[in-house]
Amino acid sequence: MRWLTYTAQGGGPASACVTARHFWSTIPVQLFPKKSHNFPPLQQVMCARVFSCSRCCGCYAAATRSRISVSGCQIIINMFRRTLGKTAAFVGYAIQYGCVAHCAFEYVGEVVVCSGPSMEPTIVSDDIIFSERVSRHCYNIKKGDVIIAKSPFDPSMNICKRVIGLEGDKVCTSGASDLFQTHTYVPLGHIWVEGDNRQNSSDSRSYGPIPYALIRGRACLKVREEVSWQKNRKLACIRRL
Amino acid sequence: MAQQVRTGRRYLRAFVSGFFVAVPVSLTVFDRFACVARVEGASMQPSLNPEAGPGDVVLLNRWSVRNHQVQRGDIVSVLSPKNPQQKIIKRVIGLEGDFIRTLSYKNRYVRIPDGHFWIEGDHHGHSLDSNSFGPVRTHARTHVP
């Protein structure tokens, strides 16, 4: 009785086959590694017995059906084809999920981390905010909302301010300590934004009203350090009281 | 009957799975890479809409403006500052930091602030452009007609 000397080839460990409960008969068939169904080249097979495991019935059946002697070239082609198929499937899934993620970020909402002191009592630095974009697409921005907008001077930067006036409103442009109050009207298609921390905020008082097209979304949920979810509008009401 | 129900269910499932693939992919392509639009109005004559009739169809190339970099002379499509539901298509005249001699703006000479650019229609006098609403913010998409 001669046990085979077989070198694992094509990825599948031969030992995995051996460790399982195996049976052997007298039909001369080659041995196949369990995982990959690559057929090893003939010259490497030195076995005269069926050497299969109970889990490897597929291999066994395939082997008994046809005494296959596949050349090494075909093995490489098979491997290449399988790798190509897996890569294509991966790329397809990546594209699909990327598109879904893009649509979610673009039309539903996104999570932003705020920094800077300009919204101080409401939003402190390093607060995490969920901004929803539905109301921007529906033109549903109201006075008092906290919005995320693109900075008018640097399109790669975002600002987080509170909407004070919509188009056609009369807003006060002077600071609290100024002697004379100056007023202006917000032009069509623009909004007037200010930070809650009026002493330390560069907002519409310095650069004028910003166009509606710069709005990215409305901040609706805030995650504090102690993970407390608070409705922003509720918070604004409390603040006004 | 049961056969019909099964076939219907299979078609429904195929439709739903196809729907959930096709809609995000097409939205992403339209948002990020390119989209097609029709030009109305006479403000860009003679380069677009040379004669009256059905408007020209343009391909907006959104990939090339992902870094907000446009050159002078490009034709861009922006959201109108007057009415955010409307898109306008104009030619870029000046970028940020340029000095512009305006046609009918309130100031004769204008320095364009950072993050803005100056757009005008090719058909002077028949175009609602930066001469009436000043420099616009960079929120633009170039296009290839």
Side-chain angles (χ1 to χ4, degrees):
Chain A
M1 196 193 302
R2 191 163 65 105
W3 289 90
L4 72 158
T5 56
Y6 174 75
T7 52
Q9 193 244 354
S15 58
C17 245
V18 179
T19 50
R21 187 162 46 90
H22 55 265
F23 64 95
W24 31 289
S25 77
T26 52
I27 314 162
V29 177
Q30 303 145 3
L31 167 70
F32 303 104
K34 192 183 110 195
K35 270 177 74 179
S36 70
H37 288 234
N38 284 339
F39 297 124
L42 265 184
Q43 64 266 19
Q44 286 198 7
V45 176
M46 305 164 69
C47 181
R49 294 198 169 96
V50 168
F51 195 43
S52 174
C53 56
S54 55
R55 273 189 248 150
C56 218
C57 292
C59 281
Y60 177 60
T64 45
R65 226 180 290 127
S66 57
R67 302 268 179 91
I68 303 161
S69 61
V70 187
S71 67
C73 181
Q74 265 172 315
I75 295 168
I76 291 171
I77 288 175
N78 278 347
M79 276 175 60
F80 181 70
R81 193 176 291 161
R82 200 177 305 128
T83 325
L84 202 70
K86 277 183 184 168
T87 318
F90 177 75
V91 169
Y93 275 116
I95 289 176
Q96 186 182 336
Y97 287 117
C99 291
V100 170
H102 170 264
C103 287
F105 286 139
E106 195 72 17
Y107 295 99
V108 180
E110 61 187 349
V111 176
V112 286
V113 180
C114 291
S115 66
S118 71
M119 289 292 285
E120 197 80 84
T122 321
I123 297 161
V124 295
S125 208
D126 296 333
D127 264 359
I128 301 166
I129 277 179
F130 180 77
S131 83
E132 53 102 2
R133 317 193 64 168
V134 182
S135 54
R136 178 240 180 277
H137 286 289
C138 300
Y139 303 101
N140 197 17
I141 301 282
K142 298 188 194 70
K143 270 182 255 185
D145 286 346
V146 176
I147 56 156
I148 314 281
K150 284 191 173 177
S151 166
F153 296 103
D154 186 1
S156 59
M157 263 177 56
N158 291 329
I159 54 174
C160 177
K161 303 278 179 223
R162 189 179 293 278
V163 178
I164 300 293
L166 300 175
E167 54 186 15
D169 288 349
K170 186 180 182 184
V171 291
C172 176
T173 57
S174 57
S177 58
D178 284 0
L179 200 60
F180 299 104
Q181 289 198 332
T182 51
H183 295 274
T184 186
Y185 287 95
V186 182
L188 272 181
H190 287 64
I191 54 167
W192 189 271
V193 291
E194 280 182 16
D196 282 357
N197 190 358
R198 287 175 63 106
Q199 280 80 36
N200 191 0
S201 159
S202 77
D203 44 28
S204 284
R205 286 170 295 163
S206 57
Y207 47 70
I210 65 167
Y212 193 92
L214 288 183
I215 299 177
R216 287 181 60 83
R218 182 177 76 88
C220 65
L221 285 172
K222 182 167 78 160
V223 191
R224 266 262 170 80
E225 291 291 310
E226 64 270 11
V227 198
S228 68
W229 292 73
Q230 286 162 313
K231 277 261 191 284
N232 204 356
R233 277 186 172 161
K234 253 186 221 164
L235 208 74
C237 294
I238 294 164
R239 207 181 59 82
R240 267 189 228 113
L241 292 172
Chain B
M1 190 61 196
Q3 183 77 25
Q4 277 182 351
V5 168
R6 205 174 303 143
T7 335
R9 200 169 290 162
R10 198 189 316 142
Y11 275 123
L12 189 70
R13 190 174 299 159
F15 174 77
V16 167
S17 64
F19 186 82
F20 275 103
V21 173
V23 168
V25 168
S26 53
L27 274 178
T28 310
V29 167
F30 288 153
D31 271 6
R32 288 280 161 194
F33 300 110
C35 75
V36 177
R38 180 184 289 277
V39 183
E40 289 166 0
S43 73
M44 282 301 283
Q45 281 177 355
S47 54
L48 295 173
N49 279 1
E51 66 262 0
D56 281 352
V57 175
V58 293
L59 177 74
L60 302 173
N61 178 0
R62 296 193 157 189
W63 184 246
S64 57
V65 287
R66 63 192 185 281
N67 297 329
H68 305 280
Q69 284 168 345
V70 291
Q71 271 117 38
R72 293 181 198 92
D74 281 351
I75 299 177
V76 298
S77 151
V78 299
L79 289 180
S80 168
K82 293 265 185 206
N83 179 9
Q85 306 183 13
Q86 201 181 18
K87 288 176 189 167
I88 53 177
I89 185 160
K90 303 281 177 238
R91 192 181 291 280
V92 175
I93 302 296
L95 305 178
E96 53 189 17
D98 290 354
F99 275 95
I100 296 285
R101 188 170 69 86
T102 63
L103 295 175
S104 56
Y105 195 50
K106 55 189 176 191
N107 303 327
R108 187 73 172 138
Y109 292 92
V110 169
R111 185 189 173 278
I112 301 171
D114 286 347
H116 296 57
F117 52 85
W118 191 267
I119 56 172
E120 277 182 11
D122 284 359
H123 197 177
H124 300 302
H126 290 81
S127 161
L128 186 73
D129 49 22
S130 285
N131 283 316
S132 63
F133 49 68
V136 294
R137 266 75 169 188
T138 318
H139 184 89
R141 297 147 289 189
T142 47
H143 91 130
V144 185

